[in-house]
Amino acid sequence: MQYWLTPLAGAIPPVNSSKTAFRLRAWLVALTLGAFLSFAQDVRAGRLWFEDGHLWVEIGDYRVGFVEKANYTLHQMDYRGSLVMSPRGWYQSVVYDTNAGEGNDPYVGSGHGKEEVISIKIDIDGISHELAELDQSQTYPVNQSVAVRRRTNIGTFFRYDSDVSISPTGLAEDFAYETAGDTSGLRFMHAFMHCFSNDTQQWIAGKPDGDLLTGQFTDDRSFSCREDFLWAALYDPTNQIGTLYQYPEMYIGKGKRKNNFWNRSYNNKLYFTVEARHPIGQTFGYSVKIECFQAGSSEWKSQAEQLLKENYPPEIVVQIR
């Protein structure tokens, strides 16, 4: 289910053109188009540029990087100048291949390699550009949004369409897969991977019925959570930043992994792990929205609760204690 505000494709105008068009990709709890445009008018204009092997997007309070050596997969996110998602680690989707052979990396995709690029397109304010068309010595103005749209093959296993969109209201990822080959040797898929800053100290996760899971990051290489959830909230007390990680529905993960945090000394990595064995031709997909907010340690939970209530329909119980 795709649920973010993303632009319409169209002919490429001069870079300084003010013409934009938008398409609302429906999610039951998405903001209305009018509310978004009203909000966007109050946010300073952004920019897109290439530097140090990355494509960078800066808009509103967010700065997001995509790394060239991993085929322009997501690689970093800052909020108001503070690191939220760390560049130490890989993002987006990988599979674990039990037939990789002794001594070979069993992971396929993202920074692990063996992902064939079919196309990469960059949408800037609703205008679609082939990546190769962009002059990497130039800086491009951004008024409302950027989307990095990749079509790749994850090994011989999946056709993979990944859309990552950045706007003043946050980051959205919409991933779609079609099984292209024999997946019987795959142990699992990490559909989402996010390396949250080690300054995050606490996490809370919620289910649609209001049931809560809570924990502290321990930096001891253990795994925690390992549950299906609808949303998670993380808190960084040093920079006073809350981060909301929101699915449009409660996805079912695989086995004992599901949504699991890897408590590392240099970042806290969240995996969403799913079944990877599917018949050829089967299609499936996942979406997630990530947004940040500024809050002190005494009010971050109440602020997170309020934002979640605004983002989910009334039948979803959100009560953070």
Side-chain angles (χ1 to χ4, degrees), residues 114-189:
K114 293 166 281 185
E115 184 172 353
E116 176 193 8
V117 174
I118 299 170
S119 66
I120 301 178
K121 296 183 179 181
I122 312 298
D123 288 4
I124 304 174
D125 290 339
I127 308 303
S128 182
H129 306 253
E130 295 288 342
L131 175 64
E133 295 175 355
L134 296 178
D135 182 346
Q136 297 198 12
S137 68
Q138 299 297 312
T139 295
Y140 294 83
V142 177
N143 293 312
Q144 276 91 21
S145 65
V146 168
V148 177
R149 306 188 188 282
R150 304 165 63 254
R151 170 163 284 194
T152 65
N153 290 320
I154 300 178
T156 60
F157 308 112
F158 296 101
R159 174 68 58 83
Y160 172 40
D161 289 317
S162 65
D163 290 0
V164 181
S165 304
I166 311 101
S167 81
T169 55
L171 182 80
E173 300 170 63
D174 294 314
F175 295 169
Y177 313 85
E178 180 179 356
T179 310
D182 181 9
T183 58
S184 61
L186 299 183
R187 183 169 295 170
F188 54 77
M189 171 189 282

Side-chain angles (χ1 to χ4, degrees), residues 12-22 124-127 141-144:
I12 301 174
V15 169
N16 63 358
S17 171
S18 62
K19 296 180 180 178
T20 55
F22 290 87
I124 304 174
D125 290 339
I127 308 303
V142 177
N143 293 312
Q144 276 91 21

Side-chain angles (χ1 to χ4, degrees), residues 16-82:
N16 63 358
S17 171
S18 62
K19 296 180 180 178
T20 55
F22 290 87
R23 171 167 55 91
L24 179 62
R25 298 171 73 181
W27 187 32
L28 290 175
V29 295
L31 298 173
T32 65
L33 182 58
F36 173 76
L37 292 175
S38 176
F39 170 75
Q41 289 173 355
D42 296 328
V43 179
R44 65 186 182 275
R47 60 186 178 130
L48 178 151
W49 75 102
F50 295 84
E51 185 178 9
D52 297 331
H54 286 72
L55 182 159
W56 293 100
V57 178
E58 191 173 73
I59 186 167
D61 293 320
Y62 296 91
R63 180 176 181 264
V64 179
F66 299 82
V67 64
E68 180 182 10
K69 70 179 179 181
N71 299 319
Y72 291 96
T73 49
L74 182 65
H75 200 226
Q76 180 175 331
M77 187 172 82
D78 302 340
Y79 178 73
R80 295 186 176 179
S82 296

Side-chain angles (χ1 to χ4, degrees), residues 81-279:
S82 296
L83 184 68
V84 172
M85 296 196 304
S86 163
R88 290 193 63 182
W90 304 119
Y91 290 72
Q92 302 199 199
S93 298
V94 297
V95 295
Y96 187 101
D97 181 13
T98 62
N99 296 322
E102 186 176 353
N104 296 321
D105 184 356
Y107 287 98
V108 181
S110 187
H112 293 274
K114 293 166 281 185
E115 184 172 353
E116 176 193 8
V117 174
I118 299 170
S119 66
I120 301 178
K121 296 183 179 181
I122 312 298
D123 288 4
I124 304 174
D125 290 339
I127 308 303
S128 182
H129 306 253
E130 295 288 342
L131 175 64
E133 295 175 355
L134 296 178
D135 182 346
Q136 297 198 12
S137 68
Q138 299 297 312
T139 295
Y140 294 83
V142 177
N143 293 312
Q144 276 91 21
S145 65
V146 168
V148 177
R149 306 188 188 282
R150 304 165 63 254
R151 170 163 284 194
T152 65
N153 290 320
I154 300 178
T156 60
F157 308 112
F158 296 101
R159 174 68 58 83
Y160 172 40
D161 289 317
S162 65
D163 290 0
V164 181
S165 304
I166 311 101
S167 81
T169 55
L171 182 80
E173 300 170 63
D174 294 314
F175 295 169
Y177 313 85
E178 180 179 356
T179 310
D182 181 9
T183 58
S184 61
L186 299 183
R187 183 169 295 170
F188 54 77
M189 171 189 282
H190 292 319
F192 291 122
M193 303 186 293
H194 294 90
C195 303
F196 291 101
S197 161
N198 201 239
D199 286 331
T200 52
Q201 298 296 314
Q202 182 180 0
W203 60 267
I204 302 170
K207 300 187 178 186
D209 62 0
D211 187 23
L212 293 180
L213 309 162
T214 63
Q216 302 284 332
F217 293 112
T218 56
D219 298 345
D220 60 0
R221 297 188 64 81
S222 64
F223 288 88
S224 55
C225 190
R226 299 193 177 198
E227 293 278 352
D228 294 323
F229 57 64
L230 179 61
W231 57 264
L234 294 77
Y235 188 61
D236 165 3
T238 301
N239 299 295
Q240 297 191 321
I241 294 173
T243 300
L244 297 180
Y245 180 96
Q246 303 159 89
Y247 297 130
E249 59 185 278
M250 192 168 81
Y251 297 129
I252 304 303
K254 179 178 173 62
K256 295 181 179 180
R257 293 176 178 268
K258 302 178 181 180
N259 293 281
N260 59 100
F261 290 106
W262 189 7
N263 297 279
R264 305 196 287 194
S265 60
Y266 51 91
N267 60 36
N268 302 310
K269 189 165 186 177
L270 174 58
Y271 296 93
F272 173 50
T273 307
V274 297
E275 179 58 64
R277 298 177 182 179
H278 301 282

